[in-house]
């Protein structure tokens, strides 16, 4: 069994946590109630640190994500909810207290208290692959719950995650974004839960990282003993330590400070063109911010006169990014701002649109503004400028 095979290489810190009788069968499925079982043990295991954070793909349980980890996109201030000290010493797995067998499915939840309503920017999950685990694949669910009397209740949303842990006897923390980004949460208590199935063979079951040096927040767990069984009721976890789960939430400012008066120079949006076929739209947002403070703003106009701003969120880095207009799955413009200071003492700008809509695109460094435009109904041309901005700006 997994607990026995691991006991030779880890110091086990075990505590007995009894489950209450099983809950009723899941809605929509006729499930036999399991036979009364012995107490379930939450078994803790020492582990070795693997530093760093890996971005992985996250899919909603309802739809497939087509996005990857996004960086370089202008975002409001984000509040990080985390109870650990950025280091994990233990792992936890649920086993039958009599047979020492790993249970079929297990779920661990950490409660966070949000200072106000907001939108998720990312979550982090720290997962362990044990020494005897021969399977590098990590497949689990991240589920958001409300709170009822100190345990998770009322599922808000569920997401699937597929990743890999390259080396055994390590824990790896994954940055989860994609479909999770923008998920709205109310103020107050919210539970973030991780769940996964028993591995095949059981030695390939993944574990949840534990920071035994930190004690904050409320934690709970539950399990299904075998496939087809109903979930046991949630149990509060009284053991010392916190789970390897973190959450980042954007909280809108309820009373934002007034916008400062803009400087008269430079104008980030020079006078829009007035020639026939061009649009006089003016961008209202800054979807991309590149290294060195180079801001990208873009607006478009359709042949029916609909005006909008280019949007980010598909992919971006510190030097390049994609913009879209109507559908996040359909990129419209690739833009790059490259550092050519060591070559010709200038920053270079490259733009590759794939649209025939009229648009105005601006790049500004706070001193100078570089622009590109397109006429309605004409396939936009690419453009490059290796002297777009002097490097001494």
């Amino acid at each position: 069994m997994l607990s026995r095979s691991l006991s030779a290489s880890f110091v086990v810190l075990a505590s007995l946590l009894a489950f209450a009788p099983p809950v009723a069968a899941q809605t929509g499925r006729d499930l036999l109630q399991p036979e009364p079982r012995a107490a379930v043990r939450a078994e803790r295991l020492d582990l070795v640190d693997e530093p760093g954070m890996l971005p992985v793909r996250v899919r909603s349980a309802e739809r497939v994500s087509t996005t990857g980890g996004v960086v370089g996109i202008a975002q409001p201030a984000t509040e990080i909810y985390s109870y650990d000290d950025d280091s994990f010493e233990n792992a936890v797995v649920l086993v039958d207290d009599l047979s020492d067998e790993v249970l079929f499915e297990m779920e661990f939840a950490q409660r966070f208290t949000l200072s106000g309503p907001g939108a998720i920017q990312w979550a982090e999950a720290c997962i362990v692959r044990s020494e005897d685990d021969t399977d590098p694949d990590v497949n689990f669910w991240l589920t958001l719950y409300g709170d009822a009397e100190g345990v998770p209740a009322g599922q808000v949303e569920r997401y699937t995650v597929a990743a890999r842990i390259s080396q055994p006897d390590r824990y790896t923390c994954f940055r989860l974004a994609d479909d999770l980004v923008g998920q709205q949460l109310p103020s107050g208590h919210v539970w973030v839960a991780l769940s996964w199935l028993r591995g095949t063979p059981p030695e390939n079951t993944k574990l949840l990282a534990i920071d035994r040096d930190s004690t904050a927040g409320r934690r709970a767990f539950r399990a299904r003993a075998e496939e087809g069984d109903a979930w046991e009721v949630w149990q509060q976890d009284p053991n010392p330590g916190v789970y390897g789960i973190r959450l980042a939430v954007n909280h809108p400012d309820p009373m934002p400070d007034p916008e400062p008066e803009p400087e008269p120079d430079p104008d980030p949006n020079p006078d829009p063109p007035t020639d026939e076929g061009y649009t006089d739209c003016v961008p209202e947002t800054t979807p991309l911010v590149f290294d060195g403070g180079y801001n990208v703003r873009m607006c478009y106009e359709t042949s029916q006169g609909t005006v909008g701003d280019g949007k980010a969120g598909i992919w971006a880095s510190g030097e390049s990014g994609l913009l879209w207009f109507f559908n996040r799955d359909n990129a419209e413009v690739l833009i790059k701002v490259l550092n050519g200071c060591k070559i010709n003492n200038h920053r270079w700008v490259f733009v590759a649109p794939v649209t025939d809509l009229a648009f105005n695109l601006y790049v500004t460094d706070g001193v100078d503004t570089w622009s590109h435009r397109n006429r309605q109904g004409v396939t936009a041309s690419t453009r490059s400028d290796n002297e777009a901005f002097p490097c001494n700006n």
Side-chain angles (χ1 to χ4, degrees):
M1 300 302 171
L2 175 62
S3 56
R4 295 194 182 107
S5 65
L6 289 175
S7 61
S9 57
F10 290 100
V11 176
V12 177
L13 305 176
S15 60
L16 299 181
L17 299 173
F19 274 104
V23 297
Q26 297 177 4
T27 303
R29 295 181 59 193
D30 293 327
L31 302 177
L32 295 176
Q33 293 288 355
E35 295 296 326
R37 302 185 60 83
V40 172
R41 186 171 72 247
E43 186 169 270
R44 299 192 178 209
L45 312 165
D46 284 346
L47 55 99
V48 179
D49 178 14
E50 178 175 302
M53 189 70 57
L54 299 178
V56 296
R57 185 175 296 275
V58 182
R59 297 180 300 173
S60 167
E62 306 298 330
R63 58 191 174 91
V64 176
S65 169
T66 58
T67 65
V70 178
V71 296
I73 296 176
Q75 297 175 343
T78 296
E79 185 169 352
I80 310 299
Y81 294 90
S82 174
Y83 299 132
D84 63 85
D85 60 8
D86 205 30
S87 179
F88 300 96
E89 301 83 19
N90 290 136
V92 64
V93 65
L94 297 183
V95 299
D96 185 286
D97 196 36
L98 288 181
S99 66
D100 270 348
E101 292 183 352
V102 178
L103 301 181
F104 173 73
E105 186 171 4
M106 61 204 73
E107 187 167 23
F108 302 91
Q110 179 84 52
R111 191 178 76 175
F112 301 100
T113 303
L114 274 57
S115 59
I120 295 177
Q121 286 303 301
W122 49 258
E124 288 174 359
C126 299
I127 308 295
V128 177
R129 177 184 170 193
S130 68
E131 183 180 31
D132 296 331
D133 189 338
T134 60
D135 184 5
D137 291 331
V138 183
N139 299 283
F140 61 93
W141 293 272
L142 183 146
T143 308
L144 305 171
Y145 295 98
D147 178 83
E149 299 181 354
V151 295
Q155 178 177 307
V156 177
E157 187 60 270
R158 194 181 196 213
Y159 302 87
T160 63
V161 182
R164 291 174 68 86
I165 299 178
S166 58
Q167 296 182 12
D169 198 18
R170 296 288 188 273
Y171 76 81
T172 300
C173 294
F174 299 101
R175 175 68 60 89
L176 312 177
D178 298 307
D179 286 357
L180 193 63
V181 176
Q183 171 67 50
Q184 297 294 319
L185 295 175
S187 60
H189 298 319
V190 61
W191 289 85
V192 181
L194 304 178
S195 61
W196 55 86
L197 302 180
R198 177 175 58 212
T200 306
E203 287 77 7
N204 287 350
T205 303
K206 300 305 182 283
L207 317 174
L208 177 62
I210 298 283
D211 177 10
R212 66 186 177 196
D213 298 327
S214 298
T215 54
R218 189 181 294 271
R219 288 158 292 116
F221 63 85
R222 65 176 182 170
R224 292 198 295 147
E226 296 296 340
E227 186 175 7
D229 287 353
W231 283 100
E232 305 285 353
V233 297
W234 285 101
Q235 296 292 299
Q236 294 183 12
D237 189 345
N239 291 296
V242 299
Y243 297 153
I245 302 174
R246 306 174 185 129
L247 185 67
V249 179
N250 266 341
H251 295 293
D253 187 350
M255 298 184 63
D257 294 331
E259 292 287 336
E261 290 296 326
E263 297 291 335
D265 291 314
D267 184 355
N269 303 311
D271 292 336
T274 57
D275 300 346
E276 183 178 356
Y278 290 101
T279 177
D280 60 356
C281 69
V282 176
E284 297 182 353
T285 62
T286 304
L288 293 173
V289 179
F290 295 140
D291 292 345
Y294 290 85
N295 297 333
V296 177
R297 300 162 61 87
M298 183 179 188
C299 62
Y300 63 85
E301 183 175 345
T302 69
S303 58
Q304 292 78 32
T306 301
V307 174
D309 273 16
K311 307 172 188 65
I314 302 177
W315 172 87
S317 69
E319 294 185 325
S320 60
L322 295 171
L323 296 179
W324 58 279
F325 296 162
F326 310 105
N327 187 335
R328 185 173 177 172
D329 295 338
N330 180 20
E332 303 280 1
V333 181
L334 167 65
I335 183 165
K336 303 166 67 172
V337 179
L338 305 181
N339 186 346
C341 296
K342 293 183 179 180
I343 299 175
N344 68 343
N345 198 36
H346 282 79
R347 302 272 182 165
W348 307 346
V349 175
F350 295 83
V351 175
V354 281
T355 181
D356 63 355
L357 296 184
F359 66 74
N360 295 324
L361 185 150
Y362 305 103
V363 182
T364 179
D365 65 351
V367 177
D368 297 324
T369 299
W370 184 95
S371 62
H372 185 41
R373 61 178 181 167
N374 189 58
R375 190 189 300 269
Q376 191 69 249
V378 177
T379 300
S381 61
T382 60
R383 185 180 172 196
S384 62
D385 185 352
N386 63 1
E387 294 186 348
F389 298 97
C391 289
N392 58 0
N393 277 2

